Amino acid sequence: MKYYPEITLLPNAEANLGFLWEKVYHQIHLALVENKTANGESEIGISFPGYKLECKKDFFPLGSKLRLFSKTEESLIKINFEKWTEKLIDYCNLSTIEKVPENISQYALFKRIQLKTNAIRLAKRRAKRKGVTLEKALEYYSDFKDSESSLPYINTVSLSSIKRNRFRLFILHELVEIPFSGNFNCYGLSSKEEHKQAVVPWF
């Protein structure tokens, strides 16, 4: 990955980072879906340079920046991210396309983590098994805590479902010293399949 523009989110009193991540990332996802490859994948990999697992007050674990990496400058120009973010001009700033620094010593793997289970899924099973309403079953799991739910996430909408279901996109971050190329999905994240995983420069 040799080229990238950077998007900086600009929160204010009316729009916090969580809200902005949802809006901006949705537009990026739309752009990647619109420009996906024949295999339904993306040529663009996303990085969150401010990613940190911290729980401080007023701190958003994904930070306020994202970078959009590609092997070629032409592919970034073709997608034209400026067009996709123009409605959010008051809330984010898109930089020009830059070259990745040459002295990169680390690379980042960003991938989606789907929780093995959650309260709603468990409640649906219980409702069916016990013959009770979903509301009643949800009460039973009111104290349930999702495993791995401490990971940073973005609220988003599934474009692949007819109902446009909302969900939390949990994102795992790992650093590696040796780069390897693989596949990115239309969220700009690495493939979940180990032999197809992809990394982006980390700086």
Side-chain angles (χ1 to χ4, degrees):
M1 309 304 269
K2 300 294 185 182
Y3 298 89
Y4 74 100
E6 181 174 270
I7 297 178
T8 302
L9 278 60
L10 307 171
N12 57 41
E14 297 178 353
N16 62 28
L17 275 175
F19 173 82
L20 295 186
W21 271 112
E22 180 176 353
K23 298 301 179 186
V24 172
Y25 204 75
H26 180 67
Q27 290 303 112
I28 298 302
H29 179 42
L30 285 172
L32 298 184
V33 169
E34 184 75 18
N35 292 276
K36 64 186 177 183
T37 66
N39 296 326
E41 296 164 347
S42 174
E43 296 179 347
I44 308 298
I46 288 181
S47 173
F48 306 88
Y51 186 110
K52 290 181 181 177
L53 288 174
E54 295 184 18
C55 296
K56 295 179 180 177
K57 186 180 180 182
D58 300 325
F59 175 82
F60 196 79
L62 289 174
S64 60
K65 294 179 184 290
L66 73 153
R67 294 175 180 149
L68 303 151
F69 288 98
S70 179
K71 293 178 180 177
T72 67
E73 187 174 9
E74 289 72 25
S75 62
L76 292 167
I77 293 171
K78 176 187 172 185
I79 292 179
N80 188 8
F81 286 107
E82 189 171 19
K83 178 191 80 171
W84 292 96
T85 58
E86 62 184 356
K87 293 180 181 178
L88 302 168
I89 194 168
D90 293 334
Y91 301 108
C92 68
N93 178 50
L94 175 65
S95 77
T96 56
I97 297 172
E98 303 286 345
K99 261 193 167 185
V100 171
E102 294 184 2
N103 58 339
I104 299 297
S105 60
Q106 286 188 310
Y107 300 84
L109 173 72
F110 291 98
K111 64 180 178 180
R112 178 184 178 188
I113 295 295
Q114 289 179 276
L115 302 182
K116 295 182 177 69
T117 188
N118 61 47
I120 294 177
R121 195 174 300 154
L122 289 172
K124 284 180 178 178
R125 287 184 198 156
R126 182 176 178 82
K128 186 176 181 180
R129 193 173 64 247
K130 299 287 187 180
V132 298
T133 64
L134 179 59
E135 289 74 21
K136 191 72 175 175
L138 279 169
E139 286 178 18
Y140 182 84
Y141 290 107
S142 60
D143 294 329
F144 178 85
K145 295 188 185 301
D146 291 334
S147 62
E148 299 175 303
S149 62
S150 60
L151 287 174
Y153 66 87
I154 299 171
N155 288 310
T156 189
V157 176
S158 172
L159 298 180
S160 60
S161 66
I162 297 175
K163 294 182 179 179
R164 294 291 192 263
N165 294 326
R166 288 176 59 82
F167 68 96
R168 290 179 175 181
L169 181 70
F170 287 93
I171 300 170
L172 178 68
H173 168 231
E174 296 175 354
L175 289 178
V176 298
E177 294 183 1
I178 300 174
F180 47 87
S181 60
N183 300 331
F184 295 101
N185 61 28
C186 287
Y187 289 103
L189 303 175
S190 171
S191 169
K192 292 183 290 184
E193 299 179 57
E194 193 167 336
H195 66 289
K196 294 183 179 180
Q197 289 182 347
V199 297
V200 292
W202 180 250
F203 57 94

